């Protein structure tokens, strides 16, 4: 029968809509999941999925962002390389994939991995070829954790820019990153911009307050507009390197720049709207996990210490409403780190040289088999395989084709022959 009929024949699967896409079929779906996979009788919720269908004879890439799922058709890099299908899953507790009422104790990496396991088990009956897991940032973390708990589901994992904060109380690697990234001149300029913003706190927060009034923005979660402003300033260097490149150093305002220019720079880079209740609310599940299992960086800022009024604000607890309890679960990330080093296979980690999130990367050990770690020169949090140079790109593409079981004989003999099987499509790949 038609593939849509076969998908909807899966128990618990329902169609939200089908969207036309040239060369594919694209389905937006709901799937019924247990709130607690260990005790499924406690209730269920609807988890949103998308499926970019290429062909039942093609490999399938299981993609997660670790956050919401986009209902706009798109294709991950491994799906283009292998010319495969793509299943994308919304992470539990990101709306609308949130149980009601929300028992936040059921938001952990094992429950999320079990969500993926059930989706894979349901759709593997239709898509019988090899499967690869992928994702970027928290999605890369998610793909790694899924593989740790269900190591036999996937034939390979490609994790992009996935942080590995396996020692949450030891963050010196991040400090070293900010002491060495790019040029001393650029680092000094960013330090100066942060100091100037705090020195002009009264004037800049007045602008911030005026904007908030015009947009009905509130600051109850973080504890007021001044705390929000201070968090944005502390985030400035991190956000600059996460999303920018060394060529953007010329845009950093000078010490004597007008306050309007400094405010606009802070807003463009850190995003002042993010620290409002309205900006933080969609990301409550992330900050909850960062404060209970994943860990979060605590970066030293000695050049700002004499100007900070709210020490301790910068951290996950400050970004989660107080009525949601949080308790740190020590050892969860160390367990994943040990598994990657000593028991993992067919894993690929891709990092950007100038991305602060890569300061604490996943590393391979003696027990890691057929696995790779690549660092893309000059890249930020958007590092990709096709941004690599020469032999490393060939090696990465060849590994993905091999794991997906679609590598031509020429590639199996010589990785320099490796190329993505699908041409770039601006509508799907940008």
């Amino acid at each position: 029968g038609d593939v849509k009929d076969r998908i909807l024949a899966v128990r618990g699967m329902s169609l939200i809509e089908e969207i036309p896409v040239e060369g594919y079929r694209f389905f937006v779906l709901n799937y019924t999941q247990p709130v607690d996979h260990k005790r499924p009788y406690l209730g269920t919720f609807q988890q949103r999925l998308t499926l970019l269908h290429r062909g039942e004879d093609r490999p399938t890439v299981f993609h997660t962002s670790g956050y919401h799922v986009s209902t706009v058709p798109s294709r991950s890099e491994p799906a283009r390389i292998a010319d495969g299908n793509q299943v994308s899953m919304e992470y539990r507790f990101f709306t609308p994939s949130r149980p009601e009422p929300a028992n936040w104790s059921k938001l952990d990496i094992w429950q999320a991995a079990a969500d993926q396991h059930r989706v894979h088990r349901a759709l593997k009956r239709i898509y019988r070829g090899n499967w690869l897991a992928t994702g970027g940032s928290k999605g890369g973390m998610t793909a790694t954790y899924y593989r740790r708990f269900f190591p036999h589901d996937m034939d390979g994992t490609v994790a992009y820019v996935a942080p590995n904060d396996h020692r949450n109380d030891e963050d010196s690697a991040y400090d070293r990153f900010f002491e060495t990234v790019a040029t001393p001149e650029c680092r000094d300029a960013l330090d100066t911009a942060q100091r100037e913003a705090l020195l002009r706190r009264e004037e800049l927060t007045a602008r911030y307050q005026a904007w908030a009034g015009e947009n009905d923005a509130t600051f109850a979660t973080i504890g007021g507009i001044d705390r929000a402003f201070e968090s944005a300033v502390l985030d400035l260097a991190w956000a600059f390197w996460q999303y920018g490149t060394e060529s953007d150093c010329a845009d950093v305002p000078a010490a004597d720049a007008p306050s309007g220019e400094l405010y606009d720079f802070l807003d463009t880079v850190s995003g002042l709207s993010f620290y409002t209740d309205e900006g933080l609310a969609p990301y409550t599940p992330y900050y909850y996990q960062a404060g209970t299992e994943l860990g979060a960086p605590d970066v030293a800022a000695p050049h700002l210490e004499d100007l900070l009024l709210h020490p301790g604000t910068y951290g996950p607890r400050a970004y989660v409403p107080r009525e949601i309890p949080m308790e740190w679960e020590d050892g969860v990330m160390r367990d994943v780190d040990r598994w990657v080093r000593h028991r993992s296979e067919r894993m690929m980690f891709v990092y950007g040289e100038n991305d602060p999130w890569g300061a604490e990367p996943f590393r391979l050990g003696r027990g890691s088999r057929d696995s790779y770690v690549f660092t893309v020169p000059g890249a930020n949090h958007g590092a990709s395989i096709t941004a690599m140079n020469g032999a490393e790109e060939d090696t990465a593409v060849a590994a993905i084709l091999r794991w997906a079981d679609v590598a031509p004989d020429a590639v199996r003999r010589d990785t320099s022959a490796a190329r993505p099987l699908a041409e770039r499509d601006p509508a799907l790949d940008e």
Side-chain angles (χ1 to χ4, degrees):
D2 183 73
V3 68
K4 179 169 73 173
D5 296 331
R6 298 184 65 196
I7 293 166
L8 296 181
V10 172
R11 183 178 181 182
M13 195 75 74
S14 59
L15 179 69
I16 298 174
E17 64 176 328
E18 181 177 356
I19 300 173
V21 180
E22 185 177 354
Y24 293 86
R25 295 180 71 179
F26 184 74
F27 305 101
V28 183
L29 305 159
N30 268 335
Y31 184 56
T32 304
Q33 292 276 25
V35 174
D36 184 347
H37 289 273
K38 295 177 181 178
R39 296 184 291 176
Y41 53 84
L42 291 180
T44 61
F45 71 101
Q46 294 299 300
Q47 189 165 43
R48 191 165 55 172
L49 311 171
T50 65
L51 198 161
L52 188 67
H53 171 83
R54 181 64 166 159
E56 294 175 49
D57 60 338
R58 302 302 304 163
T60 301
V61 173
F62 201 154
H63 170 263
T64 57
S65 71
Y67 297 90
H68 301 93
V69 69
S70 172
T71 56
V72 176
S74 62
R75 183 172 63 178
S76 66
E77 191 173 51
R80 183 172 82 88
I81 290 172
D83 193 17
N85 309 294
Q86 179 171 295
V87 176
S88 298
M89 186 188 81
E90 189 159 67
Y91 203 95
R92 59 169 41 212
F93 280 67
F94 284 86
T95 54
S97 301
R98 180 178 296 181
E100 183 60 44
N103 180 350
W104 289 88
S105 69
K106 305 307 176 187
L107 175 57
D108 61 47
I109 64 171
W110 184 86
Q111 295 284 359
D115 289 342
Q116 288 191 262
H117 176 63
R118 283 189 82 247
V119 171
H120 169 256
R121 188 173 60 181
L123 293 178
K124 179 70 173 178
R125 304 167 190 171
I126 301 170
Y127 299 100
R128 296 179 178 273
N130 284 21
W131 282 62
L132 307 179
T134 194
S137 192
K138 187 171 182 284
M141 300 159 76
T142 301
T144 302
Y145 307 153
Y146 172 37
R147 194 71 181 283
R148 185 266 174 270
F149 294 118
F150 298 95
H152 305 300
D153 279 11
M154 297 288 107
D155 298 286
T157 297
V158 185
Y160 294 85
V161 295
N164 178 29
D165 197 353
H166 61 283
R167 292 182 59 192
N168 191 42
D169 57 349
E170 209 297 294
D171 287 332
S172 60
Y174 298 108
D175 297 331
R176 290 192 295 274
F177 172 87
F178 286 107
E179 291 166 359
T180 57
V181 63
T183 64
E185 292 77 16
C186 190
R187 299 195 298 270
D188 290 345
L190 284 166
D191 288 351
T192 299
Q194 287 178 296
R195 280 195 64 83
E196 282 298 318
L198 293 177
L199 286 168
R200 307 185 206 183
R201 180 192 295 261
E202 185 175 351
E203 181 182 357
L204 298 190
T205 52
R207 291 175 180 261
Y208 197 8
Q209 185 66 69
W211 170 87
E214 293 170 359
N215 292 275
D216 297 322
T218 56
F219 301 90
T221 298
I222 202 168
I225 193 169
D226 200 62
R227 290 178 183 269
F229 175 78
E230 191 165 288
S231 289
V233 173
L234 286 168
D235 261 338
L236 182 65
W238 188 289
F240 180 89
W241 291 114
Q242 177 174 343
Y243 299 115
T245 65
E246 197 165 339
S247 63
D248 297 317
C249 292
D251 298 332
V252 182
D256 58 353
S259 294
E261 181 182 336
L262 185 61
Y263 179 88
D264 290 344
F265 180 74
L266 179 64
D267 189 24
T268 298
V269 177
S270 291
L272 288 166
S273 64
F274 181 77
Y275 303 90
T276 66
D277 296 332
E278 297 76 17
L280 290 171
Y283 298 96
T284 297
Y286 163 69
Y287 285 112
Y288 175 86
Q289 285 194 284
T292 56
E293 290 184 318
L294 308 183
D298 185 7
V299 180
H303 62 296
L304 302 178
E305 287 179 356
D306 61 317
L307 299 174
L308 298 177
L309 301 182
H310 309 287
T313 295
Y314 189 75
R317 177 68 269 186
Y319 304 145
V320 177
R322 291 292 168 174
E323 61 268 23
I324 299 176
M326 292 170 60
E327 184 175 344
W328 176 249
E329 296 288 338
D330 199 29
V332 177
M333 293 299 102
R334 288 199 297 273
D335 169 75
V336 176
D337 179 68
R338 284 193 298 268
W339 180 84
V340 170
R341 290 175 186 261
H342 303 304
R343 299 183 62 185
S344 65
E345 59 181 334
R346 299 185 303 281
M347 302 284 293
M348 184 183 299
F349 297 96
V350 180
Y351 293 98
E353 179 188 24
N354 288 348
D355 177 19
W357 288 109
E360 288 193 337
F362 280 97
R363 293 183 171 89
L364 305 177
R366 291 186 176 181
S368 306
R369 298 185 298 277
D370 191 12
S371 295
Y372 309 86
V373 176
F374 299 106
T375 300
V376 184
N380 58 18
H381 207 51
S384 66
I385 290 170
T386 51
M388 295 179 185
N389 296 319
E392 284 195 339
E393 179 183 355
D394 294 342
T395 299
V397 172
I400 290 171
L401 295 175
R402 180 163 46 83
W403 296 343
D405 196 27
V406 290
D409 290 340
V411 173
R412 294 182 183 274
R413 292 192 300 267
D414 181 5
T415 59
S416 67
R419 300 290 184 273
L421 298 186
E423 295 296 325
R424 181 175 293 278
D425 182 340
L428 292 174
D429 299 325
E430 294 301 327

